[in-house]
Amino acid sequence: MIFVSDVREKIAKTCHVCVFLALAATLAPYGQSQNQPVSPAWTVQLDEIRNVARMIPGRRPLRINVLKFAESHRSKKFSVQGDPDEPSIQARTVFQIVYADGTVMIDSGMDEQVHRFFGRGTVEPYYPEAAKQVERALRNAKAILITHEHGDHVAGVIRSPFAEEVAPKTILTRAQVESLETNPQMPEIKITPAMASRYNVVDYDKYLPFGSGVVLIKAPGHTPGSQMVYVALESGREYLFIADTAWHMDGVRLIKGKAAPWIQEDEPALLAQLKWLNGLYGTEKNLFIVASHDDDEHKDLIAKGILGNGLE
């Protein structure tokens, strides 16, 4: 196995889930520049992802949990093009991958000040006790993965009073860091090069095996630093956490993007991603595609025992 950094080796000593194998990836000092051409066409293959998930030995995860710590109330017409103007809840969530010997967090939540940004002048539900659960889970986790560089996903590792503690076990991509430095979604999550040096910053081409059964998948579109997270459990059940590729699973089912005037996305890349996800949705019955903000989907998956409700 190839360890990407001495920092990661320290993490790996405490938990084999956090062995970071470099597959077309490097972890260079943050100041080092890499000008790699970006492919105009986004393509990935599930069989390739499954093969990458086998590259790191060890026990696979046992289960996955979800926790909602806030809500945004928006018309569904913004989440799915052509949908009616009807009420819809966007859940603000984190996910927790549970191994036999530790946990890995997917996304990091946000504080109430950042949450107010998303309300755009409207006071929306924020659950302080749930936010405290997120904070505890981040501190106890062996590693933290960030799906993309928007405030509701990344603020928890930037603005937390425990940021110095959680940063060394947080994985950011170079594209995420560049956005946070030069074009943050909001001033509250802007970081400096000195701040960036606290995190593990990775570059990879298409896939990055993270731990046994876990693969990061580069998926720029919603943001330049967006990525999906594939997880295969010890039981054989598979998950694909698609973050904000679609805000509602109807976007996947209907292959329709968003209609939110306040966001700017790479629409051709997102369309390619939605087409791929739609194909999986129709054929892979043991693979659960999870959108970060689809409150209805989360409730259904919790009721079926596919996701655990709450963090450990």
Side-chain angles (χ1 to χ4, degrees), residues 199-256:
Y199 303 97
N200 294 289
V201 183
V202 299
D203 283 316
Y204 66 96
D205 180 27
K206 184 178 283 191
Y207 313 121
L208 180 66
F210 175 78
S212 180
V214 178
V215 181
L216 307 184
I217 304 162
K218 183 173 285 189
H222 178 63
T223 68
S226 289
Q227 57 186 352
M228 302 182 195
V229 182
Y230 168 87
V231 182
L233 299 187
E234 201 167 71
S235 65
R237 183 182 290 161
E238 299 171 285
Y239 299 77
L240 189 59
F241 294 90
I242 65 170
D244 288 17
T245 302
W247 281 345
H248 192 282
M249 278 299 294
D250 280 353
V252 172
R253 288 186 280 263
L254 301 173
I255 316 179
K256 289 187 176 182

Side-chain angles (χ1 to χ4, degrees), residues 114-126:
V114 172
H115 176 59
R116 286 196 290 269
F117 168 89
F118 295 99
R120 303 176 190 281
T122 300
V123 177
E124 296 184 315
Y126 184 83

Side-chain angles (χ1 to χ4, degrees), residues 237 239 281 288 296-308:
R237 183 182 290 161
Y239 299 77
Y281 182 81
F288 296 90
D296 293 331
E297 182 197 25
H298 302 163
K299 290 177 180 177
D300 181 61
L301 293 178
I302 290 169
K304 292 176 178 176
I306 306 301
L307 290 174

Side-chain angles (χ1 to χ4, degrees), residues 67-69 93-94 105 107-110 129-139 156 311:
L67 181 67
K68 178 171 68 173
F69 58 86
T93 57
V94 296
M105 294 295 292
D107 289 330
S108 67
M110 61 180 164
E129 288 304 314
K132 289 179 181 178
Q133 284 189 52
V134 174
E135 188 175 80
R136 286 194 296 269
L138 293 174
R139 297 183 69 193
L311 305 178

Side-chain angles (χ1 to χ4, degrees), residues 26-45:
T26 60
L27 179 64
Y30 176 70
Q32 179 178 330
S33 63
Q34 292 191 354
N35 298 316
Q36 297 180 349
V38 178
S39 171
W42 185 89
T43 59
V44 297
Q45 298 293 329

